[in-house]
Structure formats: C-alpha cells, structure tokens
Amino acid sequence: MADDVTDTRPPPPSSHTGEGPGELKHNAIGFLDALVIGINSTSPAYSLAAVIGSVVALVGVYAPGVVLASFVPMLLIASAFFYLNRVDQDCGTTFSWVTRAMGPWAGWIGGWAIMMTGVLVVGSLADVAVGFGLLTVGLDSWATNDIVRPLLTVLLILVMTAICVIGTEASAHVQNVLILAQIASLLAFAVVAIQRVYAGTSSLPAVEPEIGWLNPFGAGGGALTAGLLLGVFMYWGWESAVNLTEEVKNSASAPGRAGIWSTIILLGTYLSVCIAVVAFAGPAYLAKNATEEEFIFASLARQVMGGWDWLVLLAVSTSALASTQTTIIPASRTGLSMARRGALPSVFARIHPRFHTPHVSTWAVAIVAAVWYLVVSRISENALLDSLTALSLLIAFYYALTGIACAVYYRRHLTESVGNLVLIGIGPLVGAVLLLWLLVEAVIHMSDPANSYSGVSWFGLAPPLVIGIFIVIMGLVFMVARRLTSDRYWQERPGVCDPDLVRRTKEP
C-alpha cells in the first residue's frame, strides 16, 4: 500500500439536511436514541443470563475481573469507530472504512462478517425473548413446546423486522421503552441481592464481595482466555449506534460518542449484576449449574426477588426482544452500503420510498436468519448454542480489522500529537491485537469437539469452528463470484485520510 495513493471517493457530508427518494432518512434520531440502540443491541440482560454461569464456572469469584478486562479491547475499538466515523459517515462502518484503508478485498470480507453475525444471532435472540416472555406470564409448558416456541419465534422476527422497515424513529421509540424496563429490573435485582447477602438472608451459600474479585488475572491460564471470549460476546453489539450514522443528527460525532458511552454504561451494569450474582449464589453453586445456561438466571431471580421475579424474567425477555430488532440494523445497513458501492447486487441498495429505510436488505437478513434458526434448532438446542459460540470468531475478526484500519487510514496523522498517537494509533492497534489473540485462542479451543455445547464432532472439530469455517468459505465464494460479475467496487484503491477532512471534522 503506497502512501502516495489517495482516496478518490468523495467523503460523505458530516451533516445532513434532508433526504432524496433513494436515501436514508437523515436527522431521524438524536444522540440519546442512538445511545439507547447501542446499549440494547448488546442485549445486556440476555447476555448476562446466557454467560454468567459459564464465566463463573471458568474463573470463580474473579468473574467481575474478567468482565472488567473484556471492557478494555471494546473501549479501544470503540475509539477506532469514533475516529473513523468522523471522516466517513457511512452506514457500512467497518466495510466502508476497511475498504478505504486496506482495499476492497479486506473491506468485502469485513462487511460479510458483520452481515453473518446478524444471521447467526437474530433467531437465537428472538427464541430467548419468546421463552422468557412465556415464563414471565406463567406459560411454562409453551416455553418448552417444540412447535409453539419456534412458531412464535419466527413471528417475532417478522414483527421486529417490520418495525425496522417502518422507520428508524419507530425503532428508536420501541427501544427507549425496552431499555428502561431492562436496566431498571437489572439494577433492582443487583441491589436486592447485595442487600440480602449482607443481611444474611440469602437462600444460597453467599459470599461477601471483595475488591480482589476485580483482578482479571486471579484465575489465569486457559480459564482467563475462555472467560474473555465470553466477555467479548457480552459487550458485542454497541456499534449499532454507528451503523445509524447517516440517520443520526450530528452524524460526524454523535454516533461515535454513543458507541463509546454504550460500552461504559454496559461496564457499570455488567459489574453490578455480576458482583451481585457471585455474592448471592456463591461460585460453587453457579459452577455446578452453569450448563443450564440462561435459565439459571430465572432460578436466581426467583430466589432473590421472590414474588417479584417476573421483573427479571421480563428484563431478559425485553433484552432479547430489543436486540432482535437492533441486531438487524448493522447487518441491513452493511448490506445497503455494500450494494451502493457495487460489492453486492444493486437490489440490496433499494430504499423504501415512504419510510426511507433499506427494506430489501432488512427483509433479506431477517428471512435468512429465520431459516438458519429453524434449521439449526431442529438439529438440537445445543446446536443453536454452538451457532452463538461461532459468533465470537466473527466478532473478534471484524472488530480487530476495524482497529487496524483506523491506524492505517490515519497513519500520516499519528505523530501530530500524543493524543492522536494513543487514541487513533496505539489504542486501536492494542485492541486489535488483543482480539486477534482471542481469535486464535478460540480457534484452538474450538478444534476440540469436547469444547462445545453439543459435545459432538463435525469433521473432527467442534461445531462452532465448523460453522465459522463454513461462513468464511461461503463469503469467499460469494466475493469471488461478485468480482467476476461486476468489477466496479474492485476499482477502489486504498488511501490515507485527507488532512483537510480531519481538520474540518475536529470537535471544538
């Protein structure tokens, strides 16, 4: 990559005043709406319910430390998203930025990874929303019914997709309601659990919290690595706020700030609940029941909250419900961006003439995700969990790619100040290295079939790794096929950040 090669694609405007018939609706939502969507995309209550038992089983009382350590690469990559969005407000985020910095081949595979995360996770999130929703209203038999639950799950996917298509404002209004119910319920659970620990009224072998729990290296070794992988999954999704950059007011700065603040708020929420859970139940109980996955959270809710346990069950349900909707956003916006540049067929670039949303790419993601869910869930419930585990590979990959792209694209500006060197260069690169290390460790871990929920062997490997390899191969096939049928996107050349553009987008 030569430094004298400039980026010939004109930068998008840093602010929008209106939209044409084929454009997204500009200034549709504000900073707070983007912040809420960023938080909800991580599905905090569901993420805690899904992995808290497994994390404690791995590292014991040091689970809060692992949650804290997992925050570090997320914050560093969030910084990369902030600075890259300042000079390129493109809803394709990683796809667009990596293309600018490292060329079309790297950009295409980064965009593919983002779209596939939506396919892998949307069905699982909707399934959990339905399951916990049924438990909340006492329909336990429906929650375990192999016909009713999948049908309700697919119906929910279709409903949440319709809300996404109707408009970004409608999506934001739904998210604002869901986040209030979710965070309030989680904090109430944490407060009551800690109060009962110190009052000595816990029904389980409680342990009083200690500052040493925040030491991420307490467990050490392979347990720490596996715990960090789960931690990355917990934080994943905050960048949905940045995928809405073309639809957010003050698009050059507000989406990036929303992404950073999302990770900080998540850290506070995760630490509070994690400390409360470990203290109330004790590490031995959590480790013993870790294989129950998210339903251990339902059991803890009943023991902590008594007759008010429905608040926590509702929090998990609304968490998964909210994330079902918001997880479609990055995948659909990335598909739109790729189609606009010629990396995907132009049909995916179509914008609804009334709602100004990418309705074709949105429905495409939802339909493929629903089919994936139905096929995988028919194999077994554990196969669905293996599908979720495969997410860690894609997440680590495209986050790391974004961190590298930030340093590469800004390379001529890194020595202008200490702040630039740390925030735009060293920070994103350190975050990328940490995630690549976790990616390698994950591949090694998943090469053993015993390290999966199914405990079965697919081609001599654990199912999550096979799923990850399958997705990569399919991506390469589609990329080559697209290259052979259309070469417009592949004419783009990597470049460096325009100094004038940096100067114009700097905040006071």
Side-chain angles (χ1 to χ4, degrees), residues 184-246:
S185 299
L186 286 175
L187 292 180
F189 170 83
V191 169
V192 173
I194 291 296
Q195 185 274 328
R196 292 190 60 185
V197 168
Y198 282 103
T201 59
S202 173
S203 56
L204 296 171
V207 182
E208 290 191 5
E210 299 178 8
I211 191 66
W213 290 6
L214 296 177
N215 176 16
F217 305 103
L224 173 61
T225 302
L228 288 173
L229 284 170
L230 293 173
V232 168
F233 170 77
M234 290 173 64
Y235 285 101
W236 168 70
W238 51 264
E239 75 274 12
S240 291
V242 191
N243 285 102
L244 291 170
T245 183
E246 297 179 36

Side-chain angles (χ1 to χ4, degrees), residues 14 86-87 410 413 416 420 497-508:
S14 59
R86 275 176 45 177
V87 293
Y410 273 101
H413 303 276
E416 291 177 356
N420 278 9
C497 189
D498 179 5
D500 292 333
L501 187 58
V502 174
R503 186 164 51 252
R504 290 198 302 269
T505 56
K506 278 188 176 179
E507 295 179 322

Side-chain angles (χ1 to χ4, degrees), residues 50-134:
V51 306
I52 189 63
S54 297
V55 173
V56 176
L58 289 166
V59 300
V61 295
Y62 300 106
V66 168
V67 169
L68 181 61
S70 302
F71 165 75
V72 174
M74 291 299 98
L75 181 63
L76 296 176
I77 298 302
S79 175
F81 270 77
F82 173 79
Y83 283 101
L84 285 168
N85 182 72
R86 275 176 45 177
V87 293
D88 184 5
Q89 295 95 60
D90 190 297
C91 64
T93 60
T94 294
F95 159 73
S96 180
W97 303 332
V98 174
T99 298
R100 280 175 170 265
M102 302 165 67
W105 295 97
W108 200 99
I109 203 67
W112 173 259
I114 294 176
M115 289 193 297
M116 289 302 102
T117 55
V119 169
L120 288 178
V121 78
V122 166
S124 297
L125 290 168
D127 179 80
V128 170
V130 168
F132 270 84
L134 293 173

